[in-house]
Amino acid sequence: MIPEGRIHHAPIQVSASSGSGRVSTSARAEEDARLREATSLLSATLESTADGILVVSAEGRIALVNNQFLAMWGIPRDLVDTGDDEAVMNSVLDQLADPGQFLEKVTALYADPDAESHDVLRFRDGRTFERYSRPQKVDEHVVGRVWSFRDVTEARLAQDQISRAMADLAQQANQLKTLAFQDPLTGLSNRQLFNDRLAYALAGPCGTAVDVLLLDLDDFKEVNDIHGHHAGDQMLIEVGRRLRACVRPGDVVARLGGDEFVVLLVGSLDADAAAERIVESLKAPVWIDGTMLRPSLSLGLASISEDAVDASELLRRADIAMYAAKAAGKNRYLRFQPEMMRALLERTDLDAGLRAAVDNGEIAVHYQPIVSAPLGKVVKVEALARWERDGVLVAPQQFIPAAERSGLVVEIGTEVLLRGCTELAPWLAADPVRSLAVNVSGVQLQQGNFPELLFATAESCGVDPHQLVVEVTESVFFDDDCQIRRQLVQLRSAGVRVALDDFGTGYSSLGRLQDLPVDTLKIDQSFVGMIRSGTEHLPILNCMISMAHGLGLTVTAEGVETREQAEYLIQRGCDSLQGYLFSRPQPADVLPDAVAASGRVIAGLHADTDTQTQPVL
Ligand code: C2E
Ligand code: MG
Ligand code: MG
């Protein structure tokens, strides 16, 4: 604008020049009138604009300012009228946030008189002006420069607000996008992203290898139940980390939910090697809160092929292969084979058949006598569920796990309890020392109301709760919520006894026994099976019996098939025996015969055996 030292003053009112003496008086009057009109027009125009206008002569002196300029810059008219242009300039510079930059621009403009320019001035007090500058010309000659200023503070603020809002929105959209495709716990991709990438890969060039590796942690529920959900989460995070390290950076590793993960390999040369690597990588122990855990997983691998080209079929195959890996003993990977389909169909068929059998009341109950060694007679029977399907008995080892998976075991267990109490009420009533044992699954106890159900059933059948035994396996104690324990305590306080079934096959140890609310230990038949001649030394078996006795528990041996086994166990103080040697499980109508036959067998044993017990160790 006005380089220092070159400012000169001109009044704001545009005044007409005095003219030449040669012009006639009337012509001069006419000329004066025209000039006055032009001046008033210019003055009115200048004052009616919202912009602040400043005109500077070619010599760098202020030639003209309008009132708006003075108001916007807060410069008193008197200061301009004094002709002290330097003071005006200083007042301008004082207000700017960056006066040096402004001066630079002004100097550059004066070096180029024809130039037009536009920029934005920022004030120290936060205001913002737009500045325009263009040359003032008379007949193509530059005679000065016109500066106009517009206060755009409000507009700028609004603009800034909009920009900030837009930036915030963009950031939020980004976050949402990330969240929409990311598993929040592990930071891996989620199901949605996996599905998208799989669809994209399958639409890719023909001949590209596409492999889906579906995997599920083995027995993860136990990690959660025994060590808590925090440990479970840590385990999932660590597994996610290891999976990532097993594949290439571009491969998709996603968590589908719970303990299920999936890996997508596109263009891989050896998916089996990747699957192998993954299974191996999980074998290294994980330390969580000072506890060492050994994760393991079952993995199913399915690859694109002529008859599996769509996403759902690939996933279905990977799922079937994963299931087969679990069934084959877990901690391994299996590639999908068509035969696996058959196993799946069988499972589905089993589930449907069982549902129908339960609905149609086709689940029967058989009873197996249990003999008391010291009393030499049958004092207990165990109720065992039976399902005859199309004339063939389905093994409980087959349908009970299926029923536990589907939850049907709750209905089956309720039915077995009701039938047992109904059918055996007269037998139980005849001798208070007799009892009926029923197997109770952890799934039934998870319902939370098992004691009430048992008490109501016993009462409706006229059975004394003291004559009932519930058999549970060690796995029910893994649940870290106390409600299962609470129910067992409630049952025992009403006289019901609790037996720990299949002892020795689960995770618990003899050391834990003293903490469990149980009365009887049932030694699993696999230990009884170790007795062959009856002369061998079996410290584990001996130890189980003496330890249980030491804790005040009674001991029942399951699966006793031979005299040698029976004699061995009796000699070591085993309290009760159960097995084919005495009787197979029988329907209620032939149970009296089975009980009598069992009584004869135990009596025969007593007659032949030296009942002197031997030391147990
Ligand atoms: P469990 O409770 O340990 O029952 C004993 C199993 O051993 C029965 O098998 C019985 O028939 C079998 N057994 C008895 N003596 C001998 C023997 O001398 N040799 C051999 N090899 N086996 C013998 P079962 O009836 O096949 O039942 C298998 C398992 O199914 C039961 O094991 C129990 O865990 C489960 N189960 C059966 N009925 C029910 C039920 O109503 N509810 C629940 N939750 N589980 C049941
Ligand atoms: Mg049992
Ligand atoms: Mg058992």
Side-chain angles (χ1 to χ4, degrees), residues 525-596:
Q525 47 183 278
S526 54
F527 293 95
V528 175
M530 294 191 296
I531 309 167
R532 302 214 176 268
S533 65
T535 54
E536 51 274 269
H537 180 55
L538 298 168
I540 299 179
L541 199 53
N542 300 345
C543 183
M544 278 185 189
I545 298 170
S546 65
M547 185 91 146
H549 283 158
L551 292 169
L553 309 180
T554 59
V555 178
T556 300
E558 298 184 281
V560 180
E561 293 183 343
T562 66
R563 282 181 72 95
E564 289 75 20
Q565 291 169 342
E567 283 162 2
Y568 182 99
L569 291 159
I570 291 170
Q571 280 166 3
R572 272 141 188 95
C574 191
D575 304 281
S576 301
L577 308 172
Q578 175 183 6
Y580 295 170
L581 175 66
F582 305 99
S583 170
R584 289 185 174 252
Q586 299 291 354
D589 53 348
V590 294
L591 184 62
D593 295 341
V595 168

Side-chain angles (χ1 to χ4, degrees), residues 445-473:
L445 293 169
Q446 273 155 15
Q447 308 285 303
N449 63 348
F450 183 74
E452 290 74 20
L453 175 91
L454 182 136
F455 299 146
T457 309
E459 195 183 347
S460 73
C461 300
V463 170
D464 183 347
H466 286 84
Q467 290 184 283
L468 292 177
V469 179
V470 297
E471 295 193 4
V472 294
T473 53

